[in-house]
Amino acid sequence: MKSIVVFCGSSEGVNPVYATKGYEVGVAFSKQDIQLVYGGAKIGVMGKVAQGVLDNGGKVIGVIPIFLRKKEVVHEGLTELIVTQNMHERKLKMHGLSDGIVMLPGGFGTLEEFFEMLTWSQLGLHQYPIGILNTNGFYDSLLKMMHDMVKEGFVKKEYINTIFVDDDIDSLLGKMENYIPLPTPKWINKEQL
Ligand code: AMP
């Protein structure tokens, strides 16, 4: 993996561990020479991840829709900032620039972006490894829900097995590196969305 898109909160959360671990993700990326692709803001856990990469000489591409440029308080020190017309273009762009996906703690926006990429994977639109950094057990209840979906017959077991979970970023990246993609029934491209 040379470039990973990270989805995480535009807030820092109440426990400082989320920001601290976010920064550590950035440090790990720069050490492993992985480019960060993210939402382009300097606030929240997102801002901490970007700062962790930049402080250690790594590369960061921010992708932000024009209407969020002010609201999300753009990070001015990025390697590159791409401004898109809307959210859809943003997600497509982020996807096109990455070869792996990681979710850190966040809110509705984080979940929306993550699940869209996950469903693209199910549809065979990409074969990127997908990871969840489960800092402080934040995603325990979501993971339980996802396993309940398998148990109740709404998600195939092979799909949930493609998601890697860890509370340590180096260990998570190691698991993702060894990912062997599922054979997809049909390769369709994003133009068909
Ligand atoms: P949040 O997890 O809600 O703090 O949001 C994290 C990121 O998700 C931010 O960069 C938001 O711009 C983005 N976001 C918020 N709402 C949405 C949405 N409806 N669709 C896609 N991304 C969103």
Side-chain angles (χ1 to χ4, degrees):
M1 291 175 296
K2 293 272 165 242
S3 182
I4 292 182
V5 60
V6 170
F7 300 124
C8 59
S10 55
S11 309
E12 289 190 19
V14 289
N15 189 331
V17 72
Y18 301 120
T20 306
K21 293 290 171 188
Y23 187 87
E24 283 176 15
V25 168
V27 176
F29 274 32
S30 59
K31 280 198 179 139
Q32 296 195 33
D33 211 14
I34 295 169
Q35 172 179 268
L36 168 70
V37 177
Y38 87 119
K42 68 176 178 188
I43 52 169
V45 178
M46 340 176 23
K48 297 290 175 190
V49 179
Q51 207 52 52
V53 180
L54 294 167
D55 288 349
N56 292 279
K59 283 190 194 153
V60 182
I61 302 187
V63 186
I64 198 156
I66 203 156
F67 80 97
L68 277 182
R69 225 189 146 155
K70 277 213 179 99
K71 199 169 172 248
E72 293 217 326
V73 196
V74 164
H75 196 305
E76 300 293 349
L78 304 178
T79 317
E80 189 181 350
L81 181 72
I82 298 172
V83 181
T84 62
Q85 290 306 309
N86 52 51
M87 296 299 260
H88 295 293
E89 195 192 324
R90 178 199 221 183
K91 283 184 280 191
L92 213 52
K93 193 85 198 163
M94 286 170 136
H95 179 269
L97 289 166
S98 319
D99 49 23
I101 297 157
V102 170
M103 175 168 72
L104 273 54
F108 291 155
T110 301
L111 289 183
E112 195 277 341
E113 290 168 328
F114 177 78
F115 278 108
E116 179 155 32
M117 294 279 172
L118 185 56
T119 51
W120 286 4
S121 167
Q122 273 192 166
L123 293 168
L125 295 171
H126 69 80
Q127 293 183 307
Y128 302 166
I130 297 176
I132 296 178
L133 189 72
N134 193 20
T135 304
N136 196 30
F138 180 77
Y139 283 120
D140 285 353
S141 48
L142 181 72
L143 291 163
K144 184 187 175 304
M145 179 78 234
M146 287 159 76
H147 283 281
D148 285 347
M149 288 173 180
V150 174
K151 202 170 75 193
E152 297 298 328
F154 290 105
V155 173
K156 287 187 183 154
K157 196 170 185 165
E158 64 246 42
Y159 290 133
I160 205 152
N161 288 342
T162 64
I163 305 166
F164 301 104
V165 183
D166 210 294
D167 62 2
D168 176 78
I169 186 61
D170 289 316
S171 160
L172 183 66
L173 292 173
K175 289 176 184 174
M176 291 171 67
E177 199 65 65
N178 293 320
Y179 170 60
I180 300 165
L182 287 176
T184 47
K186 191 175 168 207
W187 189 269
I188 37 183
N189 58 46
K190 288 187 290 294
E191 283 68 52
Q192 292 171 271
L193 276 173

